[in-house]
Amino acid sequence: MGTQAGTDISSPEAKLVRFLMRRRRGTNGADIAATVRHCLAEAVQQLQPCGARPGAGADAVAGSAARWAREGVALETVLGAYHEGIRQGLEFLADHADGNDGAAAELLAGTQLMVRVLELVTVTASAAYLDEHRLVAREHQTAAQTLVSALLSGHGVSALARRTGIAVAPAYQVVALAIPPHPEERGAGIGAVSAGRRKLRRVQAALAAPLGSRSLSLLSADGGTVLIPQDAASAFAPTPTMTGEVLEVVGEAAEVHLTAAVICGSTERIPELAGRAHDVLDHIRGSGHPPGLYRITDGSETGGCDCAQMPHRPVVDAPNDVRIGRSA
């Protein structure tokens, strides 16, 4: 891309385009900074008076931002690169302003153009990035929910893991979780439904930090199942687990008192373990036991699962927390 036909090649805008298109030392065509400068040059040509490339700058900015979102480049990195390019463009205009009578007017016009470019790239890049980020998140959420459904049913796990790219652990901590209604859900109508959705989003967000991105969940506003991978323990990367402290943090986020039954075992036993955990959870709630975390002990738990190696003691420190054996 060069300056457009009919443009005065000696104009400040044309010089600015050539400056932005010039590859800086230490960069290559695939470098973020180089791509940003190319997009800025396209935006300048789109926005300058009598621009002959309508939409070209916005298209270039949007396409690059979407690609970076899918590649996992942080949005602040993208916007920071654009703002640095704008700063360099303004410095170029100031350094190359002629000393004639019209220099001040040309510099003002160039600065106004760069402000419009800044607005275009900031709004366009942010919108395109967030749209793509939401799409990627939905794709991952769909893949994760499909995989957790397969794990809970015991069918097609290997094929789904290969297709989704989500690693399957040799063992999982299986958590049956009950989420009681929030006070705002006790009314009637759409307000109660919205309150339940907000509560669920708070629960999901609170689970993400302590349990890690590989944890899988199938939850509704009333509760559900959480599967936490149990890999080989490492001093540098401890295996996440559901603990009383984690459950308390999640409950505080949800603004309700949570009840969970936890059991651990090998991946192929997940359907059996999940069924047992939910049976025990129903028993706990039906018997009037207080909220909290209840661990189910099972003599057949796998040795490779960290849960089975924990000492026989209450799961959390509160006096109403208990360990439940086979008789529960």
Side-chain angles (χ1 to χ4, degrees):
M1 181 201 75
T3 54
Q4 61 201 36
T7 299
D8 180 3
I9 62 172
S10 64
S11 69
E13 293 85 357
K15 292 178 181 178
L16 178 60
V17 169
R18 291 198 298 273
F19 166 74
L20 291 170
M21 291 300 297
R22 190 184 312 141
R23 185 173 298 174
R24 297 176 70 84
R25 183 178 302 175
T27 65
N28 57 65
D31 185 84
I32 290 179
T35 303
V36 160
R37 288 168 66 89
H38 172 87
C39 292
L40 287 173
E42 290 276 14
V44 169
Q45 291 202 110
Q46 174 183 328
L47 295 176
Q48 66 179 304
C50 302
R53 299 175 62 85
D59 291 344
V61 171
S64 298
R67 185 178 73 252
W68 288 325
R70 188 163 287 275
E71 292 174 354
V73 179
L75 178 58
E76 53 265 34
T77 300
V78 174
L79 295 180
Y82 273 114
H83 293 171
E84 175 62 18
I86 293 289
R87 184 189 64 77
Q88 293 171 359
L90 289 171
E91 288 181 351
F92 173 84
L93 291 173
D95 291 343
H96 291 77
D98 295 330
N100 56 42
D101 295 338
E106 287 184 351
L107 180 58
L108 177 60
T111 301
Q112 291 173 333
L113 175 61
M114 290 303 288
V115 170
R116 293 173 61 206
V117 170
L118 174 62
E119 179 183 12
L120 183 148
V121 299
T122 300
V123 173
T124 304
S126 298
Y129 185 101
L130 293 175
D131 285 346
E132 189 68 19
H133 188 271
R134 292 188 191 102
L135 178 60
V136 171
R138 282 197 298 270
E139 290 174 353
H140 182 270
Q141 183 181 32
T142 300
Q145 289 183 341
T146 303
L147 181 58
V148 73
S149 297
L151 286 166
L152 290 170
S153 69
H155 301 298
V157 174
S158 298
L160 272 172
R162 287 193 299 270
R163 189 160 69 245
T164 62
I166 301 175
V168 175
Y172 281 83
Q173 188 184 45
V174 181
V175 183
L177 180 65
I179 309 175
H182 189 275
E184 294 179 358
E185 294 180 75
R186 294 183 181 133
I190 193 170
V193 175
S194 298
R197 290 173 179 167
R198 291 194 300 271
K199 178 190 68 178
L200 177 58
R201 285 195 293 269
R202 293 196 300 271
V203 167
Q204 291 169 329
L207 285 170
L211 299 185
S213 60
R214 289 183 57 209
S215 295
L216 303 169
S217 63
L218 200 59
L219 297 172
S220 69
D222 300 321
T225 307
V226 181
L227 303 179
I228 307 168
Q230 302 296 290
D231 297 306
S234 168
F236 300 100
T239 300
T241 57
M242 175 62 76
T243 64
E245 290 78 7
V246 170
L247 190 68
E248 185 177 353
V249 168
V250 177
E252 289 175 354
E255 300 175 359
V256 293
H257 296 293
L258 304 179
T259 306
V262 179
I263 191 169
C264 195
S266 60
T267 299
E268 59 269 17
R269 294 185 60 218
I270 285 178
E272 168 205 343
L273 298 175
R276 176 159 169 74
H278 279 280
D279 286 345
V280 170
L281 181 63
D282 291 342
H283 171 78
I284 291 168
R285 302 183 72 204
S287 301
H289 290 291
L293 184 65
Y294 295 80
R295 188 180 306 282
I296 306 168
T297 59
D298 188 320
S300 60
E301 287 175 338
T302 59
C305 185
D306 290 344
C307 303
Q309 299 172 6
M310 298 184 73
H312 290 269
R313 57 178 175 78
V315 178
V316 291
D317 295 333
N320 56 13
D321 292 307
V322 298
R323 175 179 290 272
I324 298 175
R326 276 289 188 184
S327 60

CSV table of all heavy atoms in Angstrom, one decimal, residues 26 51 59 78 80-81 91 108 111 114-115 117 121 156 159 179 186 200 204 210 213 231 265 274 281 285 308 321:
chain,number,residue,atom,x,y,z
A,26,GLY,N,14.5,-3.7,13.8
A,26,GLY,CA,14.2,-4.7,14.8
A,26,GLY,C,12.8,-5.3,14.8
A,26,GLY,O,12.4,-6.0,15.6
A,51,GLY,N,-10.3,11.2,1.2
A,51,GLY,CA,-9.7,9.8,1.3
A,51,GLY,C,-10.4,8.9,0.3
A,51,GLY,O,-11.6,8.9,0.1
A,59,ASP,N,-11.3,-1.7,8.7
A,59,ASP,CA,-11.2,-3.1,8.4
A,59,ASP,C,-9.9,-3.7,8.8
A,59,ASP,O,-9.8,-4.8,9.4
A,59,ASP,CB,-11.4,-3.4,6.9
A,59,ASP,CG,-12.8,-3.1,6.4
A,59,ASP,OD1,-13.7,-3.0,7.3
A,59,ASP,OD2,-13.1,-2.9,5.2
A,78,VAL,N,-2.4,-4.5,22.9
A,78,VAL,CA,-2.9,-4.0,21.6
A,78,VAL,C,-3.1,-2.5,21.6
A,78,VAL,O,-2.5,-1.7,20.8
A,78,VAL,CB,-4.2,-4.7,21.1
A,78,VAL,CG1,-4.7,-4.1,19.8
A,78,VAL,CG2,-3.9,-6.2,21.0
A,80,GLY,N,-2.0,-0.4,23.8
A,80,GLY,CA,-0.7,0.3,24.1
A,80,GLY,C,0.2,0.5,22.8
A,80,GLY,O,0.8,1.5,22.6
A,81,ALA,N,0.2,-0.5,21.9
A,81,ALA,CA,0.9,-0.4,20.7
A,81,ALA,C,0.3,0.7,19.8
A,81,ALA,O,1.0,1.4,19.1
A,81,ALA,CB,0.9,-1.8,20.0
A,91,GLU,N,4.9,13.0,17.0
A,91,GLU,CA,6.2,13.5,17.1
A,91,GLU,C,6.8,13.8,15.7
A,91,GLU,O,7.5,14.8,15.4
A,91,GLU,CB,7.1,12.5,17.8
A,91,GLU,CG,6.9,12.5,19.3
A,91,GLU,CD,7.8,11.5,20.0
A,91,GLU,OE1,8.5,10.7,19.3
A,91,GLU,OE2,7.8,11.5,21.3
A,108,LEU,N,-1.6,21.8,13.1
A,108,LEU,CA,-2.9,21.7,13.8
A,108,LEU,C,-3.8,20.7,13.0
A,108,LEU,O,-4.5,19.8,13.6
A,108,LEU,CB,-3.6,23.0,13.8
A,108,LEU,CG,-5.1,23.0,14.4
A,108,LEU,CD1,-5.1,22.5,15.8
A,108,LEU,CD2,-5.7,24.4,14.3
A,111,THR,N,-2.5,17.2,13.6
A,111,THR,CA,-2.9,16.7,15.0
A,111,THR,C,-4.3,16.3,15.1
A,111,THR,O,-4.7,15.3,15.7
A,111,THR,CB,-2.5,17.8,16.0
A,111,THR,OG1,-1.1,18.2,15.9
A,111,THR,CG2,-2.8,17.4,17.4
A,114,MET,N,-4.8,13.0,13.6
A,114,MET,CA,-4.3,11.9,14.4
A,114,MET,C,-5.2,11.6,15.6
A,114,MET,O,-5.4,10.5,16.0
A,114,MET,CB,-2.9,12.2,15.0
A,114,MET,CG,-1.8,12.2,13.9
A,114,MET,SD,-1.7,10.6,13.0
A,114,MET,CE,-1.0,9.6,14.3
A,115,VAL,N,-5.9,12.7,16.1
A,115,VAL,CA,-6.9,12.5,17.1
A,115,VAL,C,-8.0,11.7,16.6
A,115,VAL,O,-8.5,10.8,17.3
A,115,VAL,CB,-7.4,13.8,17.7
A,115,VAL,CG1,-8.6,13.6,18.6
A,115,VAL,CG2,-6.2,14.5,18.4
A,117,VAL,N,-7.8,9.5,14.1
A,117,VAL,CA,-7.3,8.2,14.0
A,117,VAL,C,-7.2,7.5,15.3
A,117,VAL,O,-7.6,6.3,15.4
A,117,VAL,CB,-5.8,8.3,13.4
A,117,VAL,CG1,-5.2,6.9,13.4
A,117,VAL,CG2,-5.9,8.8,11.9
A,121,VAL,N,-9.1,3.9,15.9
A,121,VAL,CA,-8.4,2.6,16.3
A,121,VAL,C,-8.8,2.2,17.7
A,121,VAL,O,-8.9,0.9,17.9
A,121,VAL,CB,-6.9,2.8,16.1
A,121,VAL,CG1,-6.5,3.1,14.7
A,121,VAL,CG2,-6.3,3.8,17.1
A,156,GLY,N,-17.2,-41.5,25.3
A,156,GLY,CA,-16.6,-40.6,24.3
A,156,GLY,C,-15.6,-39.6,24.8
A,156,GLY,O,-15.4,-38.5,24.2
A,159,ALA,N,-12.2,-39.1,22.6
A,159,ALA,CA,-12.4,-38.4,21.3
A,159,ALA,C,-12.7,-36.9,21.5
A,159,ALA,O,-12.2,-36.1,20.8
A,159,ALA,CB,-13.6,-39.1,20.5
A,179,ILE,N,-26.6,-25.0,45.8
A,179,ILE,CA,-26.6,-23.5,45.9
A,179,ILE,C,-28.1,-23.1,46.2
A,179,ILE,O,-29.0,-23.3,45.4
A,179,ILE,CB,-26.2,-22.8,44.6
A,179,ILE,CG1,-24.9,-23.4,44.1
A,179,ILE,CG2,-26.1,-21.3,44.8
A,179,ILE,CD1,-24.5,-22.9,42.7
A,186,ARG,N,-36.5,-15.1,45.7
A,186,ARG,CA,-37.7,-15.6,46.3
A,186,ARG,C,-39.0,-14.9,45.9
A,186,ARG,O,-40.1,-15.3,46.2
A,186,ARG,CB,-37.6,-15.5,47.9
A,186,ARG,CG,-36.5,-16.4,48.4
A,186,ARG,CD,-36.4,-16.4,49.9
A,186,ARG,NE,-35.3,-17.3,50.3
A,186,ARG,CZ,-34.4,-17.0,51.2
A,186,ARG,NH1,-34.4,-15.8,51.7
A,186,ARG,NH2,-33.4,-17.9,51.5
A,200,LEU,N,-25.4,-17.3,39.9
A,200,LEU,CA,-24.6,-18.3,39.2
A,200,LEU,C,-23.3,-17.7,38.6
A,200,LEU,O,-22.2,-18.4,38.7
A,200,LEU,CB,-25.4,-19.0,38.1
A,200,LEU,CG,-24.7,-20.1,37.3
A,200,LEU,CD1,-24.2,-21.2,38.2
A,200,LEU,CD2,-25.7,-20.6,36.2
A,204,GLN,N,-19.5,-19.0,39.5
A,204,GLN,CA,-18.5,-19.4,38.5
A,204,GLN,C,-17.3,-18.6,38.5
A,204,GLN,O,-16.1,-19.1,38.4
A,204,GLN,CB,-19.2,-19.3,37.1
A,204,GLN,CG,-20.3,-20.4,36.9
A,204,GLN,CD,-21.1,-20.2,35.7
A,204,GLN,OE1,-21.3,-19.0,35.2
A,204,GLN,NE2,-21.6,-21.2,35.1
A,210,PRO,N,-9.4,-20.0,42.5
A,210,PRO,CA,-8.7,-21.1,43.3
A,210,PRO,C,-8.6,-22.4,42.6
A,210,PRO,O,-7.8,-23.2,43.0
A,210,PRO,CB,-9.6,-21.1,44.5
A,210,PRO,CG,-11.0,-20.7,44.1
A,210,PRO,CD,-10.7,-19.7,43.0
A,213,SER,N,-8.0,-23.0,35.5
A,213,SER,CA,-8.8,-23.0,34.2
A,213,SER,C,-9.1,-24.4,33.8
A,213,SER,O,-10.0,-24.6,32.9
A,213,SER,CB,-8.0,-22.3,33.1
A,213,SER,OG,-6.7,-23.0,33.0
A,231,ASP,N,-3.7,-33.9,39.2
A,231,ASP,CA,-2.5,-34.4,38.6
A,231,ASP,C,-1.4,-34.7,39.7
A,231,ASP,O,-1.7,-34.5,40.9
A,231,ASP,CB,-2.0,-33.3,37.6
A,231,ASP,CG,-2.9,-33.1,36.5
A,231,ASP,OD1,-3.3,-34.0,35.8
A,231,ASP,OD2,-3.3,-31.9,36.3
A,265,GLY,N,-11.4,-39.8,42.9
A,265,GLY,CA,-11.1,-41.1,42.3
A,265,GLY,C,-10.7,-41.0,40.9
A,265,GLY,O,-10.6,-39.8,40.3
A,274,ALA,N,-19.8,-39.3,40.9
A,274,ALA,CA,-20.7,-38.2,40.8
A,274,ALA,C,-22.1,-38.6,41.4
A,274,ALA,O,-22.8,-37.9,42.1
A,274,ALA,CB,-20.9,-37.7,39.4
A,281,LEU,N,-25.1,-35.8,49.0
A,281,LEU,CA,-25.6,-34.4,49.2
A,281,LEU,C,-27.1,-34.3,49.5
A,281,LEU,O,-27.5,-33.5,50.3
A,281,LEU,CB,-25.2,-33.6,47.9
A,281,LEU,CG,-25.6,-32.1,47.9
A,281,LEU,CD1,-24.8,-31.4,49.0
A,281,LEU,CD2,-25.3,-31.5,46.5
A,285,ARG,N,-28.7,-32.7,53.0
A,285,ARG,CA,-29.7,-31.6,53.0
A,285,ARG,C,-31.0,-32.1,53.6
A,285,ARG,O,-31.7,-31.4,54.3
A,285,ARG,CB,-29.8,-31.1,51.6
A,285,ARG,CG,-28.5,-30.5,51.0
A,285,ARG,CD,-28.7,-29.9,49.7
A,285,ARG,NE,-29.4,-28.6,49.8
A,285,ARG,CZ,-30.1,-28.1,48.8
A,285,ARG,NH1,-30.3,-28.7,47.7
A,285,ARG,NH2,-30.7,-26.9,49.0
A,308,ALA,N,-7.4,-38.8,48.4
A,308,ALA,CA,-7.4,-40.0,49.2
A,308,ALA,C,-6.3,-40.0,50.2
A,308,ALA,O,-6.3,-40.8,51.2
A,308,ALA,CB,-7.3,-41.2,48.3
A,321,ASP,N,-18.8,-29.5,60.5
A,321,ASP,CA,-18.3,-30.2,59.3
A,321,ASP,C,-17.9,-31.6,59.7
A,321,ASP,O,-17.4,-31.9,60.7
A,321,ASP,CB,-17.1,-29.5,58.7
A,321,ASP,CG,-17.5,-28.2,58.2
A,321,ASP,OD1,-18.4,-28.1,57.3
A,321,ASP,OD2,-16.8,-27.2,58.5
